[in-house]
Amino acid sequence: MSGVIDKIKERLKDFRRPGYYKEFDHHYAIVIDVDRCNGCEACVVSCYAENNLPVVGEQGCEDNRVFNWLRIERYIEGEYPDVKVKFIPVMCQQCDAAPCEIGCPVYATYHNQDGLNVQVYNRCVGTFTCATYCPYDVRRFNWFSYKWDKPLDEQLNPDVTVREMGVMEKCTFCIQRIRGVNDKAKDGKRKVKDGEIQTACAQSCPTGAITFGDLMDPESKVSKLAASKRGYKLFENLETKPSVIYLKRVMD
Amino acid sequence: MKRRDFLKYIGVGGAGVVLGGVFGKISRPPGAKLIPYLIPPEDIIPGVGAWYSSLCTQCPAGCGTVVKVMDGRAKKVEGNPLHPVNKGKLCARGQAGLQALYNPDRIKAPMKRKGTRGNGKPGEFEEISWERALKILSANIKDLSDKGEAEGVYLRTNTVRGHLDKLFGGFMESLGSPNYSQYELYDYRSLRFANKAAFAIDAIPHYDIANASMVLSFGADFNSTWISPVNYGYAYGEMRQGSGVRGRLVHVEPRMSLTGANADEWVPIRPGTEGIFALSIAYAILDAGLYSGKDVAKWKTALAGFSPSATARTTDVAAARTLKLAKEFAAAERPLAIGGEVVAGYDNGVSSLLAVNILNYLGGGTGAKGGIIPNPDELFFADGTQEMDFERGIAGFVKDAASSKVKVLMLHNTNPLFTTSPKLGLELALKKVPFICAMTSFMDETSAMADLILPLHTSFEEWGDDFTNPAVGAPVATLMQPVVSPVFNTRGAGDIFVALASAIGGKVAEDHHWMSYAEYLRAAWNDLYDKNAEISRGTLTFDGFWNKLLQEGGWWKKAVNPSGVKALSTTPKKVGKGLFAKPAKFAGKMSDYPLYLMLYPQAGHLDGRGANLPWLQELPDPITTVVWGSWVEINPVTAKQLGFKEGDKVRIESPYGSIKAFVFPYAGIRPDTVALPIGQGHKLYGRYAKGRGVNPIEIIPAVADKDSGAMALNCTRVKVEHSGGSGRLVKIEPTAKEHGKPTQHGRPIVQTITSREYKRLKKETT
Amino acid sequence: MSNNESKRVIPYSEVNDDVLRTMTKTGPGYYVALVVCFLLAAGLWGGAWFYQIYVGQGVSGLQTPAFWGIYIANFIFWIGISHSGTLLSAILFITQTPWRRSIYRSAEAMTFFSVMTAAIFIFVHMGRPWNFYWTMPYPNQRLLWVNFLSPLMFDVLAISTYATSSMIFLYFGSIPDLAAVRDRTTGWRREFYGWLSLGWRGTDAEWHWLNKAYGFFAVFIIPLAVSVHSIVSWDLALSMVPALNKTIFAPYFVVGAIYSGSAAIVTLMIFVRKFLKVEKYITIDHLSKLCMLLLVMSLIWSYINVMEVFTGWYANTNYENEAMIYRMFKSPIAIIYWLMIATNTVAPLFLMFRSIRRCVPIIFFISIGINVGMWIERYLLVVSTLPRKYFPFMWNSYLPSLAEISMTVGSFFFFAVLFLLFIKLWPSISIYEVKEDIGIPRKKPHTKEMDHEDGSPTWYI
């Protein structure tokens, strides 16, 4: 009897594993050193350029419908003259136990083999559940059919879908770049080198605060940075197991 | 085939033919329709991006870029990983350069004025052909030069370095006009003058922030806009978490700018007294016997009046704090003091920056590592065209124009009407100029005054190069190559001048006999290659070198054993003569105008040039998170006294005018100061910029620094009162009503550790 | 039967006539009301929805952290309304409560219609409603199964099951009446109801099977109804939003649903008896009993509301407490919160008094108040929590846009249209059960025991 129960438990364990894979090929992660980050927002524009994020205009911003997949949060604490201003870049945390994946009824958001929490725009029916369940407020919705004034549309990245009205979207860890580099490595019959894949934000970050890499590779830069004693994750107590690791800012 | 199918095919085919025809006509000349797709160009593989190295021209920092081009279109700009200035990184403005290339508001063809000058309505210009446009311009210039009045030809550009600068200079010289100069709102001329005065280097050195163990920044917002923000941003990251000890950053500024926000300590100093504060730190260093160089006694007498206790009242910084900072500075292994544009923006800017240099000298901030490293420029600036003309700033030009000396004015990518105070009278002066030709990509305020508009290529369509200045302690040259075919009927400035030279004829044509600017550029580089063994080292032929240049994006020397600035060219006696003893003067009586006005460049727009790019408009200001508009920062205490809350529309009135903006209560600004960003408030400049926000330069007086000729931005007092009116403050962070206070509400989002804890952790791990 | 006003024994034929009168003899007022309601429903809801589909979800006031707004509030509200009817009918049926008989038909219809309204709100709320069928588990060429872990998927299944069963429940109970209508009408009605009544002849066997089936559904539908609203609550409770992620939500929602549903029934009954002039069937006694139910539900609901505050307090979780404080003390959310407490906790307390329970205007207003309050509850649940999740930087407030308000108002008219059609096309009072209530006319007043003496059907299950 107990054997049967164990078997069921084992089954359930598999089932509960995000994405329902026995194991993942990679664990892509971003380490953000908040002590390096100076809040310059280069990453934000880089993300706009790479991922075809629409510009929503003044009214859109007023309505809080900005498409900043990556946002720099700014907190001002204290009273004059002891003021502390703190910055932190927040993007999709690519949670291992992602609440959004539970919510989506149509599997538009799910875990892929690379350990990424991906969004399939074509499957999305727009129930907003993922965005509501997301504790990090990183999901963005296509409220309208956004247009680019010609010829601004010529800049659109052909590697990234231009999303249609009514679908949810979010930071993908620049999955098109991950795919591109992996394919190239496959063609060359070699392994992907650490640092070969760079997300748009990590690539442009002037201070080097953002580092992208594979946590499954113990020699990678992110693995080493992630082991830092300054490391923490956002709202770790929610047990979402985020893949974005922050390093604490040194501040007196 | 069924009848229905036949009709279907006919329909689809017909539509295809029509569409193809239309697209074909738009995109390329008739002959080139089919061939490229039968025999595709080798570098265009559909769906595969090619990366070309180039140069970013969104600000004068001179970062090297690589541009991803797919199917003949530029898709993404990244930093050139090989480039020593930006090291593979790129800032928001650089990233947004693509939107300048594909901007819907670019000027699409040469235009000639139809109506009267001044308000720049689109109907006032008519499109003409390039031949005609060049003919008009060359006729105007030729007319003058034939009359022997060639000095009536003026050329004003934005910051241009490299061979375009040489071409401009050479052209004007051949023409016989000395009136070629560059204008930029933030051209750091005060800093250059101060460096010249202190260290006898007429240039901006490389500030080695990366290796400094303590940076004392006097209003230098190097994280956001100052000189070379990407380089300094990289340096900032390295200083904090590089291989060495974590550097400490102290920021001295009345307003907590982005750099202030990142600093470990912020000193909210009274505006205009930064120089005095720098000297009182220097005094404290001397007084504590921490300066071990020569002339100790002389320095002591020279700085006698600057004891921390004596200056505390003036600077509003407690003497104890000054002493503490002085000790810290002198004790730091590699201290560095930098003076920025906030300090340069006072009417005593040069002397304040000089004071910062003195502090560097006395406190030991001039070392080779983590200090001030001069940029040897003999390689690229041997003929000295890059020297700054301190006397003939924009004020000098206005004087010339007002006295009708300017007959033909050529403007290149510059918009001084937007960036100078109306009190300077530039607009009136421009109206007196008989012929203005604007070479620009966008219809901005100054271009609207022109009689002839020549649309320029953007940096993605043009050849060019840049001798980065300031470089990074060693010469850097960056090459710019066209990565896409021109989007509109535009031309490069170099090509325009080469064509102009041949049209004018005579000596000018003789001196500039090339067919195109690209040819000139190559020839000039060939020249450099032949002359300098340093450049030619490692390559066999010029062709090989040129290919390498195109591939790597430029040529640069590794800084081997850089040396710091050791010598001081001024003497304690000169310093003591009271060159900078007085705080800055502000227009307006304290009783009528109780608040100091500070202007600063908005991170995304710099001096306003980024305002036409939608990405930058939608990019939240790092501190306030405001988008698509202007705001005024007021201390919450002052705001409460005046009865303002966030988002109120207020009138900011100086003795020279008034503007309206929305209140953003910001705890990081002195209660006696208000700050406004520069960048918005364009009257023209495309659909994204036009009529958005306000331009605070409109309410400042036209005060120039007497030494450097720099226009002072922070030189007036204002009063702020309720105005009411339409519009609203749009922020990425929702308004205060929902938010309460902009704090974390005790949530562990940005987690911090103290520096003591950090040291302990570091000890544990090593 | 303790019915004071209907001392007069109503003849069977009068029952038939009265009910049929509501179906056949309609004045112009009815048509005017129907047309007005239809136009308003089509304009306010249909028009606004079309506009939203055409332009985009952006016409709503939804925004980045507040992705759920008034649509979801409406959805929960209408699902809540739906609870009373069927649940009331079924529970009261099983417990053999006699006063249920004259009101249950309308209540069941209300259930069905409000489930319909609620279901449409799901589609209104979707970003791409034209792909709604992707949420259905069926073999498809997309080779994609639906995500059964998703509470929304539970919703799809629960609501569709509930809608189907409550429709069948309504239909089964109506068959003898449909036959009665068939028998007493001519023309298209005879044909239509003949078709609907499935050839009902009233034989013993038919009665027997009908009672069996009805009894089965009555038992079946009770857990179903409870589960539906529990599942709806999980839509919210399974999120990680402070003040939504609570285990108390399932009972909270079920109680709230029965509460709001009963209030809606009271409101509707008052309308029905007034405008259809069936006061003799839906008597003040019925209303008074419903009011007792309201009182009880109000007390349970209030208790859970208090418990909600304790959840965060006991657990000492700051975010939970902050969210509750925001809801209870920060204007303007707090204003409507306390309005809700006034209408749903304080006002129903007056129903303790018999005189108030028997005063139709007062109970009408109290019941309307409860409905408004319950709508506020749902609105608050979504609006006071979602815009304020974990990141203060993203904190926000949500205000419904014109399109959303228009659709909300329109949904009430849509419901009214359905209900108006119902009373015209369906016997809105159960003829045969009212007759049971009256009993067989005798000289002596009817007593319950006589059922058995008489040999009239007993339908225990």
Side-chain angles (χ1 to χ4, degrees):
Chain A
M1 188 63 201
S2 66
V4 176
I5 290 173
D6 284 347
K7 238 181 206 168
I8 293 171
K9 270 187 183 164
E10 196 52 41
R11 269 304 279 167
L12 281 177
K13 222 163 113 195
D14 280 352
F15 192 60
R16 282 179 61 85
R17 209 177 276 226
Y20 331 114
Y21 305 106
K22 292 275 180 197
E23 55 192 36
F24 294 122
D25 296 344
H26 303 278
H27 184 182
Y28 290 116
I30 281 182
V31 176
I32 297 177
D33 191 339
V34 186
D35 199 31
R36 272 179 186 254
C37 175
N38 64 4
C40 72
E41 314 227 0
C43 47
V44 179
V45 176
S46 190
C47 185
Y48 265 77
E50 176 71 22
N51 292 306
N52 300 342
L53 302 186
V55 169
V56 296
E58 190 176 4
Q59 187 58 46
C61 292
E62 169 85 1
D63 296 346
N64 300 305
R65 288 164 176 171
V66 190
F67 273 80
N68 47 357
W69 282 7
L70 164 60
R71 65 176 187 268
I72 308 260
E73 297 208 337
R74 183 277 288 119
Y75 293 107
I76 303 172
E77 299 192 322
E79 301 290 327
Y80 175 86
D82 297 314
V83 186
K84 297 277 178 223
V85 179
K86 299 170 178 174
F87 299 101
I88 187 167
V90 181
M91 72 278 273
C92 174
Q93 307 283 307
Q94 307 286 351
C95 310
D96 275 358
C100 54
E101 289 173 15
I102 305 295
C104 183
V106 292
Y107 277 129
T109 179
Y110 75 107
H111 240 65
N112 78 355
Q113 193 73 39
D114 293 345
L116 290 175
N117 173 259
V118 292
Q119 175 80 16
V120 186
Y121 306 126
N122 273 348
R123 279 184 205 160
C124 182
V125 295
T127 66
F128 301 91
T129 321
C130 51
T132 305
Y133 284 16
C134 176
Y136 302 101
D137 295 341
V138 292
R139 286 178 167 266
R140 302 288 178 265
F141 185 75
N142 284 274
W143 303 100
F144 302 104
S145 294
Y146 292 98
K147 296 272 183 299
W148 279 259
D149 293 334
K150 281 186 186 312
L152 278 177
D153 55 340
E154 299 204 357
Q155 181 274 330
L156 291 175
N157 186 354
D159 289 342
V160 179
T161 321
V162 175
R163 280 77 60 184
E164 83 168 89
M165 178 177 89
V167 303
M168 193 61 79
E169 59 184 67
K170 66 167 186 77
C171 160
T172 60
F173 268 17
C174 286
I175 193 165
Q176 68 280 5
R177 291 183 175 213
I178 298 176
R179 286 269 180 279
V181 172
N182 278 333
D183 287 354
K184 226 180 193 174
K186 205 171 137 198
D187 290 348
K189 294 196 172 64
R190 62 179 172 86
K191 280 202 167 161
V192 175
K193 288 192 290 266
D194 181 40
E196 203 176 341
I197 310 174
Q198 285 223 309
T199 57
C201 51
Q203 188 167 5
S204 60
C205 178
T207 59
I210 307 176
T211 316
F212 178 83
D214 186 355
L215 277 185
M216 280 203 176
D217 172 10
E219 293 306 305
S220 67
K221 200 176 166 198
V222 276
S223 297
K224 284 175 183 156
L225 282 172
S228 163
K229 291 207 168 146
R230 288 190 292 133
Y232 72 99
K233 291 172 180 175
L234 283 179
F235 294 107
E236 225 168 340
N237 57 330
L238 297 177
E239 287 292 336
T240 52
K241 302 194 175 72
S243 299
V244 180
I245 297 139
Y246 292 88
L247 305 185
K248 285 179 191 170
R249 180 167 170 187
V250 182
M251 200 176 208
D252 292 319
Chain B
M1 189 188 277
K2 283 184 199 157
R3 191 181 65 95
R4 184 181 290 222
D5 285 352
F6 175 75
L7 286 177
K8 237 190 263 171
Y9 294 143
I10 288 289
V12 171
V17 165
V18 170
L19 280 179
V22 169
F23 283 123
K25 277 222 179 79
I26 290 169
S27 54
R28 64 192 93 84
K33 260 185 215 166
L34 274 176
I35 305 301
Y37 288 93
L38 286 175
I39 311 158
E42 59 177 333
D43 52 349
I44 292 184
I45 309 164
V48 176
W51 292 86
Y52 296 98
S53 58
S54 191
L55 166 76
C56 178
T57 56
Q58 294 299 303
C59 84
C63 297
T65 59
V66 284
V67 186
K68 183 187 182 188
V69 180
M70 273 170 109
D71 309 339
R73 284 164 186 172
K75 298 295 180 189
K76 183 84 167 68
V77 194
E78 296 287 359
N80 182 352
L82 303 172
H83 202 275
V85 170
N86 56 325
K87 300 180 171 71
K89 313 296 186 183
L90 203 60
C91 72
R93 264 170 287 132
Q95 296 276 353
L98 282 176
Q99 292 206 319
L101 168 65
Y102 291 124
N103 201 297
D105 300 316
R106 271 182 71 179
I107 302 170
K108 297 173 177 80
M111 293 199 292
K112 185 178 160 292
R113 166 168 307 283
K114 266 203 307 203
T116 49
R117 208 181 251 181
N119 42 358
K121 283 189 200 123
E124 272 189 77
F125 289 97
E126 58 179 348
E127 286 191 7
I128 55 173
S129 70
W130 270 104
E131 289 69 31
R132 182 139 173 252
L134 287 174
K135 210 168 169 187
I136 294 172
L137 179 58
S138 61
N140 268 294
I141 297 172
K142 201 165 179 321
D143 216 31
L144 277 182
S145 84
D146 287 351
K147 276 194 273 177
E149 295 171 10
E151 62 265 36
V153 180
Y154 278 62
L155 170 61
R156 300 203 69 95
T157 92
N158 64 336
T159 301
V160 165
R161 294 180 296 247
H163 285 105
L164 190 59
D165 174 45
K166 291 191 190 215
L167 177 66
F168 284 168
F171 178 89
M172 295 299 279
E173 208 181 313
S174 308
L175 201 65
S177 166
N179 296 312
Y180 163 55
S181 58
Q182 306 193 346
Y183 169 74
E184 188 97 26
L185 178 61
Y186 293 104
D187 57 1
Y188 311 105
R189 54 173 65 222
S190 294
L191 188 60
R192 287 180 70 155
F193 194 90
N195 288 340
K196 197 173 168 185
F199 304 124
I201 39 171
D202 177 15
I204 301 165
H206 174 57
Y207 294 101
D208 193 7
I209 294 168
N211 292 311
S213 59
M214 177 177 178
V215 177
L216 187 54
S217 155
F218 291 85
D221 192 3
F222 61 85
N223 273 324
S224 145
T225 47
W226 191 59
I227 301 183
S228 187
V230 182
N231 183 278
Y232 295 141
Y234 180 84
Y236 173 77
E238 289 303 301
M239 178 192 90
R240 291 300 204 187
Q241 292 293 333
S243 45
V245 188
R246 183 176 186 274
R248 194 173 144 76
L249 171 62
V250 178
H251 193 73
V252 183
E253 194 187 335
R255 164 187 174 264
M256 192 188 244
S257 60
L258 189 61
T259 306
N262 287 302
D264 298 286
E265 196 179 332
W266 170 54
V267 183
I269 194 170
R270 191 187 305 281
T273 62
E274 282 91 340
I276 294 169
F277 182 57
L279 290 180
S280 70
I281 294 177
Y283 175 91
I285 289 172
L286 283 172
D287 202 43
L290 297 166
Y291 170 67
S292 53
K294 54 184 182 181
D295 297 340
V296 178
K298 275 188 192 165
W299 277 116
K300 269 192 180 164
T301 34
L303 300 180
F306 293 101
S307 76
S309 48
T311 58
R313 185 179 279 267
T314 322
T315 59
D316 200 17
V317 183
R321 195 171 188 185
T322 315
L323 284 171
K324 197 177 135 265
L325 275 176
K327 265 186 206 140
E328 241 179 87
F329 192 76
E333 196 186 342
R334 292 185 296 273
L336 173 65
I338 48 178
E341 278 307 280
V342 172
V343 179
Y346 303 119
D347 66 344
N348 65 354
V350 168
S351 46
S352 299
L353 291 168
L354 187 52
V356 175
N357 279 342
I358 303 289
L359 170 64
N360 259 329
Y361 176 74
L362 294 176
T366 50
K369 201 178 176 200
I372 301 174
I373 304 168
N375 284 306
D377 60 353
E378 66 279 358
L379 208 56
F380 296 128
F381 299 118
D383 49 357
T385 45
Q386 203 54 31
E387 264 172 24
M388 192 159 264
D389 173 15
F390 289 114
E391 279 82 52
R392 308 191 56 78
I394 189 76
F397 168 76
V398 171
K399 215 180 281 167
D400 285 359
S403 55
S404 294
K405 276 190 198 157
V406 185
K407 301 288 193 317
V408 169
L409 172 62
M410 289 185 281
L411 296 163
H412 171 255
N413 260 342
T414 182
N415 188 7
L417 261 189
F418 182 77
T419 49
T420 54
S421 160
K423 298 283 163 246
L424 191 65
L426 179 62
E427 190 168 355
L428 270 178
L430 282 180
K431 278 184 181 154
K432 283 197 170 174
V433 178
F435 182 79
I436 302 176
C437 166
M439 287 167 249
T440 177
S441 295
F442 297 98
M443 180 64 82
D444 54 29
E445 288 79 357
T446 317
S447 307
M449 304 283 291
D451 302 289
L452 183 69
I453 290 178
L454 304 180
L456 288 188
H457 283 340
T458 58
S459 62
F460 298 91
E461 303 160 304
E462 194 182 0
W463 283 101
D465 62 354
D466 180 34
F467 303 150
T468 310
N469 185 21
V472 287
V476 174
T478 319
L479 200 74
M480 180 162 89
Q481 55 177 321
V483 296
V484 292
S485 49
V487 181
F488 299 112
N489 184 16
T490 56
R491 285 191 189 181
D495 279 335
I496 293 174
F497 272 83
V498 168
L500 209 54
S502 77
I504 290 169
K507 187 173 178 311
V508 188
E510 272 167 40
D511 292 349
H512 302 83
H513 50 81
W514 305 281
M515 292 298 290
S516 68
Y517 179 64
E519 191 191 321
Y520 163 72
L521 191 68
R522 204 182 140 100
W525 269 95
N526 204 343
D527 204 35
L528 273 176
Y529 180 83
D530 291 342
K531 273 188 196 152
N532 297 293
E534 220 166 351
I535 294 178
S536 59
R537 192 176 300 143
T539 47
L540 290 172
T541 61
F542 176 71
D543 283 339
F545 172 76
W546 184 250
N547 283 340
K548 196 164 161 258
L549 210 58
L550 289 176
Q551 197 182 355
E552 291 178 357
W555 180 91
W556 35 82
K557 201 167 121 182
K558 286 223 164 55
V560 245
N561 303 326
S563 60
V565 187
K566 286 286 178 233
L568 195 67
S569 63
T570 185
T571 59
K573 213 171 176 187
K574 260 195 202 161
V575 174
K577 269 188 186 158
L579 180 62
F580 35 72
K582 284 192 211 89
K585 282 194 284 294
F586 290 86
K589 255 191 252 151
M590 185 69 128
S591 49
D592 298 340
Y593 302 98
L595 299 162
Y596 294 105
L597 175 69
M598 309 278 301
L599 304 187
Y600 64 95
Q602 195 178 343
H605 304 155
L606 196 65
D607 56 358
R609 67 179 72 185
N612 61 342
L613 311 181
W615 285 342
L616 296 181
Q617 281 285 1
E618 197 146 311
L619 183 72
D621 172 71
I623 297 285
T624 60
T625 80
V626 176
V627 288
W628 297 95
S630 285
W631 65 94
V632 53
E633 286 164 30
I634 302 179
N635 190 291
V637 176
T638 316
K640 207 172 175 189
Q641 276 170 9
L642 295 169
F644 301 148
K645 56 182 194 306
E646 186 188 301
D648 282 356
K649 197 167 195 182
V650 293
R651 181 171 35 248
I652 301 114
E653 195 178 323
S654 82
Y656 302 91
S658 74
I659 48 172
K660 288 177 185 175
F662 300 99
V663 168
F664 178 81
Y666 178 37
I669 189 167
R670 284 175 61 88
D672 61 356
T673 308
V674 296
L676 274 144
I678 295 170
Q680 299 279 24
H682 282 279
K683 291 191 186 75
L684 289 162
Y685 208 41
R687 67 192 76 176
Y688 304 108
K690 191 176 167 181
R692 209 168 273 295
V694 288
N695 182 10
I697 298 178
E698 283 171 16
I699 61 164
I700 60 168
V703 176
D705 189 286
K706 63 180 187 308
D707 299 313
S708 69
M711 300 306 297
L713 290 173
N714 306 325
C715 55
T716 184
R717 259 192 276 266
V718 292
K719 64 178 171 193
V720 184
E721 53 202 17
H722 273 290
S723 79
S726 59
R728 61 219 183 285
L729 185 71
V730 183
K731 288 160 62 203
I732 292 295
E733 179 191 43
T735 49
K737 202 174 91 237
E738 289 90 29
H739 199 82
K741 278 182 175 170
T743 65
Q744 298 185 67
H745 291 249
R747 304 188 171 195
I749 297 165
V750 189
Q751 298 185 17
T752 56
I753 53 172
T754 59
S755 53
R756 182 180 300 215
E757 217 175 318
Y758 174 69
K759 268 178 203 149
R760 189 176 56 76
L761 278 183
K762 202 149 194 205
K763 215 176 267 171
E764 274 175 25
T765 41
T766 47
Chain C
M1 189 163 174
S2 60
N3 193 335
N4 295 335
E5 288 133 48
S6 53
K7 275 268 160 57
R8 181 181 72 90
V9 176
I10 307 162
Y12 279 5
S13 60
E14 196 181 323
V15 178
N16 282 11
D17 287 344
D18 281 344
V19 175
L20 274 173
R21 180 171 45 83
T22 66
M23 297 172 64
T24 50
K25 301 213 170 53
T26 34
Y30 169 84
Y31 288 109
V32 169
L34 184 67
V35 167
V36 166
C37 285
F38 176 78
L39 288 180
L40 283 171
L44 291 178
W45 196 359
W49 192 15
F50 179 77
Y51 173 61
Q52 175 177 300
I53 289 174
Y54 188 73
V55 176
Q57 200 79 359
V59 302
S60 67
L62 301 172
Q63 43 187 286
T64 291
F67 284 102
W68 282 353
I70 206 168
Y71 297 148
I72 291 291
N74 284 338
F75 160 68
I76 304 171
F77 174 76
W78 283 111
I79 286 280
I81 294 288
S82 80
H83 265 56
S84 51
T86 309
L87 202 60
L88 221 65
S89 167
I91 292 177
L92 298 182
F93 174 75
I94 290 169
T95 54
Q96 290 283 307
T97 314
W99 55 267
R100 114 184 219 284
R101 288 170 182 152
S102 56
I103 54 169
Y104 86 91
R105 180 70 49 76
S106 311
E108 281 174 12
M110 204 178 83
T111 294
F112 182 53
F113 298 148
S114 51
V115 171
M116 273 174 74
T117 317
I120 297 175
F121 264 112
I122 299 180
F123 302 131
V124 169
H125 157 79
M126 273 162 95
R128 302 205 290 179
W130 48 91
N131 289 335
F132 74 93
Y133 59 94
W134 290 1
T135 55
M136 303 292 171
Y138 67 97
N140 54 54
Q141 89 272 30
R142 282 173 284 124
L143 294 174
L144 196 64
W145 207 228
V146 293
N147 182 5
F148 286 108
L149 287 177
S150 164
L152 263 78
M153 210 50 234
F154 309 169
D155 258 3
V156 170
L157 298 177
I159 290 170
S160 51
T161 315
Y162 184 56
T164 319
S165 349
S166 55
M167 191 186 73
I168 294 172
F169 193 51
L170 169 67
Y171 181 55
F172 274 17
S174 310
I175 289 175
D177 288 357
L178 292 169
V181 178
R182 171 198 64 192
D183 294 345
R184 303 190 48 144
T185 49
T186 52
W188 66 269
R189 282 201 177 84
R190 191 178 174 83
E191 204 140 312
F192 178 62
Y193 294 105
W195 181 72
L196 275 179
S197 58
L198 303 175
W200 175 269
R201 280 170 301 146
T203 62
D204 277 1
E206 277 171 354
W207 277 111
H208 174 74
W209 285 112
L210 176 74
N211 289 341
K212 267 226 144 124
Y214 196 78
F216 169 76
F217 265 101
V219 174
F220 174 74
I221 213 155
I222 292 169
L224 189 64
V226 170
S227 79
V228 166
H229 225 65
S230 303
I231 284 168
V232 168
S233 84
W234 295 338
D235 282 352
L236 302 175
L238 284 178
S239 69
M240 290 190 160
V241 182
L244 286 186
N245 188 359
K246 280 184 195 151
T247 45
I248 206 168
F249 259 42
Y252 183 34
F253 270 51
V254 173
V255 168
I258 299 173
Y259 186 27
S260 68
S262 315
I265 289 180
V266 172
T267 317
L268 211 60
M269 287 306 123
I270 293 171
F271 268 118
V272 166
R273 73 197 287 270
K274 176 96 182 116
F275 291 108
L276 297 183
K277 301 186 178 60
V278 287
E279 282 98 339
K280 54 188 163 197
Y281 303 114
I282 304 168
T283 62
I284 194 73
D285 267 357
H286 292 129
L287 294 177
S288 172
K289 294 230 159 76
L290 278 169
C291 285
M292 286 183 198
L293 182 70
L294 278 186
L295 180 59
V296 172
M297 294 321 290
S298 143
L299 292 175
I300 303 175
W301 182 86
S302 307
Y303 167 77
I304 295 181
N305 252 337
V306 175
M307 280 304 109
E308 210 192 348
V309 178
F310 280 110
T311 313
W313 195 26
Y314 285 152
N316 197 17
T317 55
N318 279 344
Y319 309 150
E320 183 80 30
N321 289 340
E322 273 172 41
M324 292 310 294
I325 287 168
Y326 173 72
R327 186 185 297 171
M328 290 162 74
F329 301 113
K330 293 271 162 69
S331 150
I333 292 282
I335 294 172
I336 60 171
Y337 177 83
W338 291 108
L339 181 68
M340 169 185 90
I341 295 294
T343 57
N344 287 20
T345 300
V346 180
L349 288 178
F350 290 102
L351 293 175
M352 274 191 290
F353 305 106
R354 185 184 153 84
S355 51
I356 287 181
R357 278 207 306 274
R358 301 190 78 84
C359 175
V360 176
I362 292 183
I363 58 174
F364 179 72
F365 280 111
I366 289 179
S367 71
I368 288 276
I370 292 170
N371 273 316
V372 171
M374 286 313 292
W375 189 86
I376 290 174
E377 187 220 320
R378 277 62 184 258
Y379 180 74
L380 276 182
L381 274 179
V382 177
V383 161
S384 73
T385 52
L386 289 181
R388 297 168 73 87
K389 283 157 59 174
Y390 288 95
F391 289 80
F393 185 79
M394 299 295 283
W395 281 2
N396 208 334
S397 68
Y398 159 84
L399 265 185
S401 71
L402 266 183
E404 282 172 294
I405 293 167
S406 155
M407 277 191 250
T408 306
V409 175
S411 71
F412 285 89
F413 288 107
F414 175 75
F415 180 79
V417 168
L418 290 180
F419 203 81
L420 283 172
L421 285 175
F422 165 78
I423 53 178
K424 175 83 182 134
L425 294 175
W426 211 263
S428 53
I429 293 174
S430 175
I431 299 173
Y432 71 99
E433 279 172 287
V434 167
K435 282 180 186 166
E436 265 173 41
D437 219 9
I438 298 164
I440 293 162
R442 283 169 186 259
K443 281 178 187 141
K444 281 193 278 176
H446 173 85
T447 54
K448 208 161 188 187
E449 291 74 40
M450 283 171 187
D451 279 353
H452 303 285
E453 279 174 34
D454 187 50
S456 61
T458 45
W459 18 292
Y460 295 109
I461 47 163

